[in-house]
Amino acid sequence: MVKLSPSVLTADFLTLKDMLKKFENSGVDMLHLDVMDGIFVPNISFGVPVIKSVKAHTSIPIDVHLMIDRPHRYIKEFAEVADWLGFHYEAGSDVAQTLKEIRKLGCKSCLTIKPKTTAEEIFEFLPLCDMVLVMSVEPGFGGQKFMPESLDKVRKIKAEAKRQGIELEIQIDGGINAETAPLAVEAGVTVLVAGSYVFSAEDVEKTVREIKAL
Ligand code: DX5
Ligand code: ZN
């Protein structure tokens, strides 16, 4: 079964607690939390204290997507509240060292690439990754349109991981809905991130079950 990591970026934070119960009931696998600094991406979201209070109210593993400049500066703080911790290849940190540090701190490591970054650029880092996140929109905002070019990158990363004999999750983030999710799964995605599609659903539990059954 494909895993689902709903992104709370477009959620109403004051009603998030009820939503977390629905997510638990419907078998959500991870909770995707988008951290933006207004520098690496042109938007600001939230940081460690907000994630900490979300974590205190749920047993769902926390999947943190850092969209911040030079993320190595904050890995220690975020590792305390994350189960999966990911950062951008393009963000100006030593990639191998940051991935190693994440694992050393007891988190699962995730390397994330923007739409313009090629799959080949990160092949050398795959042995240090528990997950690779392929962005299917320019990072920074929810509710954007899915970029189909991202599927080819998923296929390439999947093939290269197999070639290197590495097992890792491949996550996709941006514009995932009933039409695009099956394409992503077919290409080899094992973890779907979905923000606006899940949070605008009339029946959230039904929508989660439908996606997971793909
Ligand atoms: C965008 C974020 C996404 C966003 C996805 O930079 O990384 O996680 O919340 O939102 P949708 O699913 O609406 O594209
Ligand atoms: Zn994200």
Side-chain angles (χ1 to χ4, degrees), residues 7 32 34 65 67 133 135 173 193:
S7 161
H32 188 83
D34 290 298
H65 174 191
M67 283 164 271
L133 166 53
M135 289 304 297
D173 181 8
V193 174

Side-chain angles (χ1 to χ4, degrees), residues 9-29:
L9 192 60
T10 52
D12 173 357
F13 271 76
L14 293 184
T15 60
L16 196 55
K17 207 172 156 186
D18 303 331
M19 198 58 123
L20 292 175
K21 287 283 154 276
K22 290 184 186 168
F23 285 160
E24 281 165 16
N25 292 339
S26 50
V28 153
D29 304 273

